[in-house]
Amino acid sequence: MALALPADPAASPMDPPQDGGLDLVAAYKAMVLIRAYEERILQARTDREVIGPVHPYIGQEAVAVGVCAALQPRDHLVSHYRGHGHALARGVDLDALTAELFGRADGLCGGKAAALVSDPATHLLLSSGIVGAGIPVAAGAAMTSQVRGDGAVAVVFFGEGALGAGVVHETLTLAVAQRLPLILVCENNGYQGATRTEEVYPETSVARIAEGHRMPVHRVDGNDTLAVHAAAAASVAAARAGKGPAFIEASTYLTRFHLQFDRPSGERRPAEELDGWLARDPLDALRGHLLAAGTAPALLDALHSDAERRVEAAVAFARTSPWPAPELALTNLWAGTP
């Protein structure tokens, strides 16, 4: 399935490398855009153009891109507070996303949502700031599709910390019993805030929790775009065929820590652990795969330059967008009515 991307695609080969239906150049392009965007938004936060906390997605790009490449436009997506990468992989408008983070009227939600965006145009239903809260919302979307018989699936991204929420277990029970077309994607980066996951759960693989609900489970290297996509494509196909939900545990890591304000906030992780994961950067891994397949290095370098150009253009757009009108502060995000 073709990857949903924002407009203005860069040039690509006539016959781009494919792997299991995944256009590898398009995937790399999307991951490069996410990386450039997150780094620029962190700078905007330091410059006080973005107000409030920024939760960077840097290091986890392969998960968002690998999963979203397996989806169709009709499918639903639910994200969380670390959701810029999901939004970009899904194909939201880059200018509108940036204007939203800058709090401007031309933002996806009129400047009212900041990072917790929704986008009806791409079926991005929710980006929840409450840990685990998006999972029952995604299940509701999946049930709606099941009742309508429209063949759509619902995908929800969450961190492993969400599996400590009671409503998540209630949702897993319901999803299995109702055979909902629901794909649960756990981005297991080893930490829940500043707490190591093994200090919370009896073992580091949280897939055992889903197995306890008798749900099909895929454990994948979350820094391997191809592996993530293969698991997502298999799960989506099964869900469309009426076989019910699936759980993907993608083991990954945050290059930048949990939360960034003006500077790295309390990096506590062991240096050797961080260095080990930096050596497994998902962009480097996919670039190596593309080079081995014969892709010209100049093309890949051009994608980096193009991403930086597009991000700067989006920042310029956000800066010139007007502030929301005060009288609309308490109105509906899209309808403009109380």
Side-chain angles (χ1 to χ4, degrees):
M1 191 58 56
L3 185 68
L5 290 172
D8 188 27
S12 60
M14 292 297 293
D15 296 303
Q18 301 278 330
D19 192 292
L22 176 64
D23 182 333
L24 300 185
V25 173
Y28 187 75
K29 176 183 173 65
M31 291 168 63
V32 166
L33 178 63
I34 294 169
R35 178 69 59 89
Y37 190 78
E38 294 292 67
E39 289 175 346
R40 186 63 182 85
I41 291 302
L42 287 174
Q43 183 59 49
R45 175 62 185 88
T46 298
D47 295 341
R48 300 188 183 280
E49 291 188 282
V50 171
I51 305 301
V54 172
H55 295 84
Y57 196 69
I58 299 172
Q60 299 186 184
E61 297 90 348
V63 184
V65 171
V67 171
C68 288
L71 302 180
Q72 296 179 355
R74 58 180 168 165
D75 296 327
H76 305 286
L77 193 70
V78 175
S79 181
H80 50 69
Y81 53 80
R82 199 183 307 282
H84 310 154
H86 305 145
L88 291 174
R90 186 57 174 154
V92 302
D93 183 83
L94 187 62
D95 287 348
L97 176 62
T98 310
E100 186 62 40
L101 294 177
F102 277 60
R104 304 304 179 96
D106 292 321
L108 283 171
C109 302
K112 301 179 182 182
L116 303 180
V117 296
S118 300
D119 181 30
T122 59
H123 289 194
L124 173 58
L125 302 180
L126 173 72
S127 301
S128 176
I130 302 173
V131 174
I135 296 176
V137 173
M143 183 175 290
T144 299
S145 295
Q146 185 182 66
V147 171
R148 289 176 175 171
D150 59 16
V153 304
V155 173
V156 56
F157 292 97
F158 55 94
E160 69 270 29
L163 293 168
V167 69
V168 173
H169 295 272
E170 295 170 6
T171 303
L172 293 180
T173 299
L174 175 65
V176 172
Q178 296 291 113
R179 302 176 72 86
L180 296 182
L182 175 66
I183 314 300
L184 300 111
V185 183
C186 178
E187 298 173 308
N188 187 348
N189 58 41
Y191 285 83
Q192 301 176 29
T195 303
R196 297 182 69 92
T197 294
E198 61 260 34
E199 297 176 15
V200 180
Y201 298 139
E203 60 178 73
T204 56
S205 177
V206 298
R208 291 291 297 275
I209 296 173
E211 290 173 345
H213 286 274
R214 297 188 176 183
M215 181 177 293
V217 167
H218 301 269
R219 295 187 182 92
V220 298
D221 177 356
N223 284 21
D224 183 340
T225 314
L226 281 66
V228 173
H229 178 260
S235 299
V236 168
R240 291 200 205 282
K243 296 182 179 180
F247 186 101
I248 300 172
E249 180 188 9
S251 298
T252 185
Y253 201 77
L254 286 172
T255 300
R256 302 288 289 269
F257 200 38
H258 170 69
L259 175 66
Q260 304 286 325
F261 283 95
D262 295 326
R263 55 185 179 274
S265 52
E267 177 65 76
R268 302 180 181 90
R269 298 173 296 181
E272 61 274 16
E273 176 185 289
L274 179 57
D275 290 342
W277 281 96
L278 284 172
R280 298 176 53 198
D281 187 289
L283 271 68
D284 291 343
L286 185 54
R287 182 184 180 95
H289 195 87
L290 281 162
L291 293 174
T295 306
L299 169 63
L300 303 182
D301 293 341
L303 293 179
H304 284 267
S305 298
D306 184 65
E308 292 173 359
R309 176 189 63 79
R310 294 174 61 196
V311 169
E312 284 303 324
V315 169
F317 173 84
R319 285 172 175 161
T320 59
S321 175
W323 294 102
E327 62 269 21
L328 299 179
L330 299 179
T331 58
N332 181 279
L333 290 178
W334 296 288
T337 58

